[in-house]
Amino acid sequence: MNIYRGVSNLTIALCPGSFDPVTNGHINIFERAAKMFDHLIVAVFSNVRKKPFLTIEERLDLLKKSTSHIENITIDAFDGLLADYAKDKRADVIVRGLRDQKDFIYETSQMLMIKHMAPNVEMVYLMSEQRYSYVSSSAIRELVNFHGDIKGLVPTCVENAIIEKFKYVQ
């Protein structure tokens, strides 16, 4: 795939999400995707269907800290349509992590809409490793709400930020 047509032969992949907060499952998907493509853009968007737990700025900061070990990654934020953002970044591939068949059904409907708007963009699904198959941002938010243990489910910097912001004690 030639994403910067005429400029280089680099393959740019885009991994969008709300990452509110980023989990160890997300980091695992980023690490694996970064090995598959020349460059990975992790793009934070504001999900209009969800009330934010962390601000966009906090999520960007935590993503940068959590992925500092990945050399070929850029952390960014966007507003608007994913298809437009993918075109703007000249990405050929959108990477989505899947935990189960429910995620697959949801992501397939999203992919069809994106393909309608950006027919040259391909979708790549990466299955979650079993140890992360039950970890989601919404589960982390619920654990925090009820003072459950999030250790090992999110990067340490995320755990520390949540403890600080919410005066959260496990």
Side-chain angles (χ1 to χ4, degrees):
M1 290 180 205
N2 182 0
I3 40 152
Y4 284 110
R5 290 149 189 89
V7 176
S8 75
N9 288 325
L10 293 178
T11 301
I12 306 292
L14 179 59
C15 192
S18 54
F19 309 116
D20 191 21
V22 64
T23 69
N24 286 338
H26 292 129
I27 300 301
N28 180 259
I29 295 293
F30 304 156
E31 291 168 341
R32 291 164 52 206
K35 291 177 185 175
M36 297 171 65
F37 303 103
D38 296 310
H39 193 77
L40 179 66
I41 300 170
V42 173
V44 178
F45 67 91
S46 181
N47 190 333
V48 294
R49 292 179 229 133
K50 296 179 183 176
K51 181 182 175 200
F53 179 69
L54 299 170
T55 67
I56 294 282
E57 293 76 18
E58 289 169 324
R59 288 182 258 168
L60 288 168
D61 180 57
L62 292 171
L63 277 162
K64 287 175 185 172
K65 290 176 181 173
S66 300
T67 61
S68 63
H69 64 286
I70 304 172
E71 291 182 22
N72 59 332
I73 196 167
T74 299
I75 307 301
D76 196 13
F78 74 98
D79 232 349
L81 295 173
L82 177 56
D84 292 340
Y85 182 77
K87 287 179 200 174
D88 182 54
K89 295 299 178 180
R90 299 183 183 181
D92 288 301
V93 178
I94 295 174
V95 176
R96 299 296 292 162
L98 302 176
R99 290 173 304 220
D100 57 26
Q101 61 271 29
K102 287 184 218 168
D103 283 352
F104 178 76
I105 291 167
Y106 173 79
E107 293 298 340
T108 298
S109 65
Q110 296 297 310
M111 181 266 311
L112 292 171
M113 183 59 74
I114 292 166
K115 286 297 275 184
H116 172 75
M117 294 182 289
N120 294 327
V121 175
E122 294 297 336
M123 297 291 279
V124 171
Y125 298 133
L126 293 179
M127 289 304 300
S128 176
E129 290 185 3
Q130 187 174 1
R131 63 188 166 147
Y132 301 120
S133 63
Y134 64 94
V135 179
S136 68
S137 295
S138 55
I140 299 302
R141 293 190 302 269
E142 187 171 345
L143 282 170
V144 169
N145 187 51
F146 293 104
H147 304 284
D149 187 4
I150 61 171
K151 189 173 207 66
L153 302 177
V154 296
T156 303
C157 64
V158 174
E159 181 183 358
N160 292 339
I162 288 171
I163 289 168
E164 180 64 29
K165 180 173 180 159
F166 298 101
K167 305 303 181 214
Y168 170 67
V169 180
Q170 298 184 72

